Amino acid sequence: MTAEAPTSTELRAGPREWLGLVVLTLPTILLALDSTVLNLAVPHMSADLKPTSTQLLWSVDIYGFMIAGFLVTMGTLGDRIGRRKLLMIGALGFGIASVLAARATSPDMLIAARALLGISGATLMPSTLALISNLFKDARQRGTAIGIWVTCFSVGIAVGPVLGGALLEWFWWGSVFLLAVPVMVLLLIVAPILLPEYKDADAARIDLASVLLSLVSVLPTIYGIKRLAEHGADVMAIGTLVLGLFFGLVFVLRQRKLASPLLDLKLFSHRAFSTALLVLTLGLGLMGGLYLFITQYLQLVEGLSPMKAGLWLLPAAAALIVASSLTPAVAQRVRPGYLVGGSLFLSVLGYVLISQVGSTGGLPLLVIGFVLIYTGISPMMVLGTDLVVGTAPPERAGSAAAMSETGMEFGIALGIAGLGSVVTAVYRQDVGAALSPELPAASTDAATDTLAGADAVAAELSGPAGAELLEQAREAFTNGLNLASGIAAVVVAALAVGAVVLLRNIPAGAAPEEDAESAGTDAAGPAPEPVAAGEGR
């Protein structure tokens, strides 16, 4: 693929393209919001619908399962039928599913609506990222646009607890889902006007067997990882993991034989692509895993309400916004390997600080540490995403974006499972050693299971016994958080070194495709011509 000068006037995006980016940020913010709001609504929803423990678990997890399972398929489907078309189909489905979830009258109806939300969400994420590569041909502008995209996703995660908490204080639990409806209606109206259509006119039909294999490999693997974190290495966890990995191997072997595969394995021959994908997967996974326990610390150790806990997370979100906005400009002067690696060492410092947080008075240190973590990962998110999407040929940008998103889903699942196992092991050991032998067996089991369980048991005990139990449980949970954060610091330090070594040859300000050419890799032929906005409608 021949690289054109990034300063060419004809490559630079104008006002229409930047307005198109605004349109693409709408579903991005919304999907980030939707990933957090149900966790706040669970107590209210449980009181209304009265789900069993299994139904409650599925109502929360099914959304992530469906997104992870369908991302690869939807990313490739967008490349073939049109990315704008897929985005609009997903927006319509997401809006309808949001109404169904808000008006659910039974746990099964809510689970079905959440499954539809996940499938629709899997169409939105790769479509938005791939369309950015169509709107912004200039490497610098694309880097800035992806920085804005990353920032908007992070803003959605940050304001989700605050906005969700406010809605739950004034309205019923279903109101958290109705946030999506006006956003999706607006997207359906303006997308045909501001977004270009783009598809690979020469692409073959999608291989349905590959679609099925991708589902039966991703879904059991994600489920097995989650179960491993919740129940340990039981038969179900190991069995589903083995099943998912087996079908994953079959999927890979089939892709190698197909002339037009669902997942183009040749993309992994690009060092920039494979390195960026690995760093994104592990870096975001560790951050996502620790984020879960940080929110628990704020609410169960510091005793903050969900809304106040969300407010204490806003400084980190603000740091991420600033760092993501500055990253494209800094990347014009500093090599991506040095920028990503150096900033990850800043995250290492943040993890080290959180490893020193105490069970009392630890809030300031926790917030400072989390600010450093968010600041340090922002160049990785911006440049890593740009490297993944920019390295791929234009006709495969949707597939590359889907791999980036799938890697994030796997990374977060692994982060929660790995760090969660550490936190749980330390917590149960420390609490079990501190509990009074006179405590009833049922109370002992509840207290050693989770910090929330210990909180409930402490509330039932009278006098100083309850306060002592709660103090011990909080101390044990904090010890687990400290160890998990220390482990994350070591892994992220290794990632930082790897980024510096493996990405050191990419010059500052270079487009990812330029690096691919310099490495002698095949860009897989000429890019198809984009379809003009509105054409064929």
Side-chain angles (χ1 to χ4, degrees):
M1 179 169 60
T2 302
E4 299 183 45
T7 57
S8 299
T9 304
E10 62 271 16
L11 289 181
R12 296 189 64 81
R16 181 190 181 96
E17 285 75 19
W18 289 107
L19 286 174
L21 177 63
V22 173
V23 175
L24 294 176
T25 62
L26 296 177
T28 302
I29 295 174
L30 189 66
L31 286 172
L33 280 170
D34 207 69
S35 66
T36 59
V37 292
L38 183 62
N39 293 329
L40 295 175
V42 162
H44 303 77
M45 181 269 291
S46 299
D48 185 18
L49 300 183
K50 297 179 174 56
T52 64
S53 58
T54 301
Q55 288 174 325
L56 180 61
L57 181 64
W58 277 107
S59 67
V60 174
D61 287 344
I62 192 68
Y63 177 76
F65 286 161
M66 292 297 102
I67 284 184
F70 281 91
L71 270 171
V72 171
T73 298
M74 294 304 181
T76 304
L77 182 63
D79 291 340
R80 302 191 182 190
I81 71 170
R83 294 164 187 169
R84 186 184 65 188
K85 180 186 293 185
L86 185 65
L87 179 70
M88 295 179 67
I89 292 172
L92 179 61
F94 203 92
I96 293 173
S98 297
V99 175
L100 293 175
R103 297 297 180 182
T105 56
S106 69
D108 290 338
M109 182 177 175
L110 179 62
I111 292 171
R114 289 278 291 171
L116 181 57
L117 280 170
I119 295 172
S120 301
T123 70
L124 296 174
M125 291 302 290
S127 297
T128 58
L129 196 50
L131 282 168
I132 287 176
S133 69
N134 301 143
L135 289 169
F136 300 94
K137 304 297 184 182
D138 179 76
R140 293 187 180 186
Q141 288 187 322
R142 186 182 62 222
T144 301
I146 289 178
I148 295 172
W149 183 87
V150 168
T151 299
C152 290
F153 187 79
S154 304
V155 168
I157 292 177
V159 304
V162 179
L163 185 57
L167 287 173
L168 291 172
E169 285 191 13
W170 292 96
F171 304 103
W172 90 111
W173 61 268
S175 63
V176 298
F177 294 108
L178 294 182
L179 284 170
V181 176
V183 175
M184 292 306 168
V185 170
L186 179 62
L187 178 62
L188 289 170
I189 294 172
V190 300
I193 302 171
L194 295 175
L195 298 179
E197 183 57 287
Y198 189 99
K199 62 181 177 181
D200 183 2
D202 298 326
R205 296 179 61 182
I206 286 184
D207 180 51
L208 295 180
S210 294
V211 173
L212 179 61
L213 284 171
S214 72
L215 291 174
V216 296
S217 60
V218 172
L219 292 178
T221 303
I222 291 287
Y223 176 79
I225 293 172
K226 284 181 173 288
R227 185 172 180 87
L228 193 67
E230 296 168 357
H231 302 283
D234 61 6
V235 175
M236 179 64 74
I238 300 300
T240 51
L241 274 174
V242 171
L243 184 67
L245 293 175
F246 169 76
F247 282 115
L249 177 61
V250 176
F251 173 79
V252 169
L253 293 176
R254 183 171 181 82
Q255 302 316 292
R256 296 180 65 179
K257 296 179 180 179
L258 293 175
S260 183
L262 183 69
L263 181 64
D264 186 5
L265 300 180
K266 293 179 181 177
L267 291 174
F268 289 95
S269 65
H270 298 283
R271 177 184 290 184
F273 178 91
S274 54
T275 301
L277 191 60
L278 177 63
V279 173
L280 278 172
T281 298
L282 295 181
L284 291 178
L286 289 168
M287 187 274 294
L290 199 69
Y291 179 89
L292 174 65
F293 302 108
I294 285 175
T295 57
Q296 291 185 45
Y297 177 92
L298 292 173
Q299 295 181 66
L300 297 176
V301 177
E302 292 291 338
L304 302 177
S305 67
M307 182 181 294
K308 289 183 178 179
L311 290 173
W312 277 105
L313 293 173
L314 287 180
L320 181 60
I321 292 171
V322 174
S324 299
S325 302
L326 294 177
T327 294
V330 178
Q332 298 305 312
R333 300 179 179 273
V334 181
R335 289 176 179 263
Y338 298 153
L339 181 54
V340 171
S343 62
L344 283 177
F345 277 115
L346 191 62
S347 286
V348 171
L349 178 58
Y351 284 116
V352 170
L353 290 180
I354 293 179
S355 72
Q356 304 303 310
V357 167
S359 59
T360 57
L363 185 57
L365 191 60
L366 181 86
V367 172
I368 294 172
F370 205 48
V371 166
L372 292 176
I373 291 173
Y374 260 31
T375 303
I377 66 168
S378 58
M380 175 196 72
M381 294 173 68
V382 174
L383 297 180
T385 303
D386 191 25
L387 287 169
V388 169
V389 177
T391 300
E395 70 273 17
R396 296 175 188 168
S399 179
M403 278 188 269
S404 174
E405 300 296 335
T406 304
M408 183 178 71
E409 293 291 334
F410 268 108
I412 291 175
L414 286 170
I416 292 175
L419 298 183
S421 299
V422 172
V423 174
T424 300
V426 173
Y427 173 80
R428 289 177 176 173
Q429 177 180 340
D430 290 1
V431 169
L435 287 177
S436 169
E438 299 178 358
L439 200 64
S443 298
T444 299
D445 292 340
T448 54
D449 189 29
T450 63
L451 179 55
D455 196 8
V457 172
E460 297 174 356
L461 297 177
S462 58
E468 183 179 355
L469 171 61
L470 189 57
E471 181 181 354
Q472 293 168 342
R474 288 175 172 173
E475 181 70 28
F477 180 85
T478 305
N479 291 340
L481 175 64
N482 294 155
L483 181 58
S485 188
I487 293 173
V490 174
V491 177
V492 173
L495 285 178
V497 173
V500 171
V501 173
L502 295 175
L503 299 177
R504 67 185 185 280
N505 292 329
I506 303 178
E513 55 266 32
E514 291 173 352
D515 175 66
E517 288 180 1
S518 66
T521 55
D522 181 16
E529 291 297 323
V531 182
E535 182 175 327
R537 292 181 55 80

